Amino acid sequence: MEPRVSDTHRNSFSQLNVPPRLLLGPGPSNAHPRVMQAMATRLLGHLDPEFIDIMDGNQEMLRYLFQTDNSTCFPVSGTGSAAMEAAIANLVEPGDKVLVGVNGYFGLRMAEMAERYGAVVSTFNKPWGESFTRQEISMALREHRPAILCLVHAETSTGVRQSLLGVGDLCRKHGTLLLVDAVSSLGGVPLFVDEWKIDAAYSASQKCLSCPPGISALTLGERAMEKIGNRSVKVSNWYLDLTLLGRYWGRERIYHHTAPINLNYGIYEALRLVVEEGLEARWERHRRNADLLIAQLRKIGLEPFVRKEIRLPSLITVSVPEEVDARKVTTALLDDYNIEIGNGLGELEGRVWRIGLMGFNSRPENVAMVTTALDRILND
Ligand code: PLP
């Protein structure tokens, strides 16, 4: 029997013709050309010794990015949410108390995931655009005495950087594990997993690493691995079970699932770019270009939404002037200038724009392009 294909189908799929967007939203950000080139490299098998060398390189370079000596540190197949889910699915046992600091959209996602894995979830909250003080974190820990505290280092929905100084010590005092979302900070904003006593952290490829989405990063320290080792019930997510994944990413190199080979090439090149530049130089570049963006925005009458002390350099939220229709502006930027910036998410919808200057995209010419275009749209 012939497979059914209608004439309209047969003739309706044109060749891909993708516009050359400048991706200055909350991610994905544009991939570095060297990363795209690496991804076009021919395939290897997922157990080929040559591929295993690349896996080793990815693990070692990720340790540098996370600033950790953790032996558990590897790329996860799937986007940032997969790494978030890997952390939560493995660390949470049904009935565990999990405390989540919610000051934006991604704190809510962590709470939702923890609940799905059977945690008894409590939240402590701050208005979107604010961060938690150490005292507020300390009080919440004392009140809830959780097994795990979840915090978002870089809240992409609000542009807020959460200080983690001293939080690890507080957690240790209470026998709590500290889980940190570093999706929009890794490779762009200072992060010290070991020094800050972070027990588990994860990130994603498509933000400050300038690699396409689809692969993410995860690290867990000894305390976290001990909790996982002492589990009394199996991890209820097979794909992300660390004891199974550890046999592929650890010494044994036993098949678990087919690794996304070309995304591993991509993140390998992305990590090499970070190593070449050096973390400190890269953090400084992100800071400098964020400052430049804010100075240029002020010249055209726009103000940052977040105060300087807790403002992220990788994702800058901009207050939408009262008389302006936020969505009309983002549509005009996309249609007329090929520039993508983000609209507000959740309760900030219509109130802010989100401008990402991440990784390869954190450059003065991009600041000039987006502010010139915004000026023309708003002020001409
Ligand atoms: N956490 C934060 C802070 C994020 O910004 C994102 C994505 O934007 C995620 C988690 C989820 O990552 P992904 O969309 O790659 O699954």
Side-chain angles (χ1 to χ4, degrees), residues 26 79-82 84 106 109 152 154-156 181 183-184 202 204 206-207:
T79 64
S81 305
M84 182 193 287
F106 291 102
R109 182 174 295 184
V152 180
E155 225 335 323
T156 325
D181 179 315
V183 167
S184 287
Y202 58 84
Q206 75 273 20
K207 310 269 186 170

Side-chain angles (χ1 to χ4, degrees), residues 24-85:
L24 299 183
S29 57
N30 296 91
H32 193 288
R34 268 174 50 185
V35 172
M36 295 308 287
Q37 211 171 9
M39 285 185 64
T41 305
R42 62 178 154 248
L43 276 161
L44 287 169
H46 60 278
L47 291 172
D48 188 311
E50 296 288 336
F51 185 66
I52 287 171
D53 282 349
I54 294 166
M55 293 166 70
D56 285 341
N58 279 342
Q59 290 179 274
E60 200 45 48
M61 289 191 283
L62 276 176
R63 286 190 189 99
Y64 168 62
L65 265 82
F66 278 118
Q67 289 288 289
T68 185
D69 292 327
N70 287 343
S71 57
T72 306
C73 186
F74 63 95
V76 175
S77 307
T79 64
S81 305
M84 182 193 287
E85 188 140 0

Side-chain angles (χ1 to χ4, degrees), residues 7-291:
D7 282 344
T8 42
H9 271 140
R10 187 174 285 122
N11 300 321
S12 65
F13 302 113
S14 56
Q15 199 179 353
L16 276 182
N17 182 16
V18 179
R21 306 283 202 221
L22 178 58
L23 299 176
L24 299 183
S29 57
N30 296 91
H32 193 288
R34 268 174 50 185
V35 172
M36 295 308 287
Q37 211 171 9
M39 285 185 64
T41 305
R42 62 178 154 248
L43 276 161
L44 287 169
H46 60 278
L47 291 172
D48 188 311
E50 296 288 336
F51 185 66
I52 287 171
D53 282 349
I54 294 166
M55 293 166 70
D56 285 341
N58 279 342
Q59 290 179 274
E60 200 45 48
M61 289 191 283
L62 276 176
R63 286 190 189 99
Y64 168 62
L65 265 82
F66 278 118
Q67 289 288 289
T68 185
D69 292 327
N70 287 343
S71 57
T72 306
C73 186
F74 63 95
V76 175
S77 307
T79 64
S81 305
M84 182 193 287
E85 188 140 0
I88 290 174
N90 284 274
L91 287 174
V92 172
E93 280 203 88
D96 274 349
K97 279 189 181 174
V98 172
L99 176 65
V100 187
V102 175
N103 57 345
Y105 183 87
F106 291 102
L108 288 172
R109 182 174 295 184
M110 290 176 102
E112 160 77 18
M113 270 193 200
E115 195 184 302
R116 284 174 185 237
Y117 284 97
V120 178
V121 177
S122 312
T123 61
F124 62 121
N125 301 273
K126 249 343 222 315
W128 290 32
E130 277 301 327
S131 73
F132 299 97
T133 63
R134 195 140 58 98
Q135 201 187 4
E136 287 163 344
I137 295 170
S138 171
M139 275 165 48
L141 282 171
R142 229 174 302 141
E143 183 187 339
H144 296 281
R145 306 208 166 266
I148 302 162
L149 169 67
C150 303
L151 289 174
V152 180
H153 184 217
E155 225 335 323
T156 325
S157 62
T158 62
V160 164
R161 178 212 308 232
Q162 174 61 53
S163 168
L164 297 167
L165 281 180
V167 177
D169 281 323
L170 286 175
C171 284
R172 288 190 184 195
K173 225 166 69 186
H174 291 277
T176 298
L177 292 177
L178 175 59
L179 169 60
V180 169
D181 179 315
V183 167
S184 287
S185 58
L186 188 76
V189 183
L191 172 71
F192 298 91
V193 165
D194 286 358
E195 203 177 309
W196 292 348
K197 301 191 172 86
I198 295 169
D199 295 296
Y202 58 84
S203 189
S205 56
Q206 75 273 20
K207 310 269 186 170
C208 298
L209 303 187
S210 305
C211 174
I215 192 159
S216 48
L218 177 66
T219 187
L220 293 101
E222 271 174 26
R223 286 176 3 120
M225 291 309 287
E226 197 181 311
K227 181 169 189 330
I228 293 168
N230 290 334
R231 286 182 67 101
S232 52
V233 291
K234 269 190 188 173
V235 173
S236 59
N237 185 319
W238 180 88
Y239 195 73
L240 298 170
D241 184 335
L242 284 175
T243 44
L244 304 179
L245 285 174
R247 301 185 68 190
Y248 181 51
W249 284 97
R251 263 191 291 277
E252 290 174 89
R253 304 296 183 186
I254 291 173
Y255 165 71
H256 173 257
H257 67 271
T258 309
I261 304 294
N262 296 55
L263 277 162
N264 271 280
Y265 297 163
I267 203 166
Y268 181 85
E269 193 59 24
L271 294 169
R272 254 167 45 85
L273 282 158
V274 180
V275 171
E276 270 175 29
E277 185 175 2
L279 274 177
E280 279 186 332
R282 199 169 170 99
W283 295 334
E284 171 57 20
R285 174 165 62 80
H286 280 76
R287 195 196 56 73
R288 212 173 41 241
N289 289 319
D291 286 351

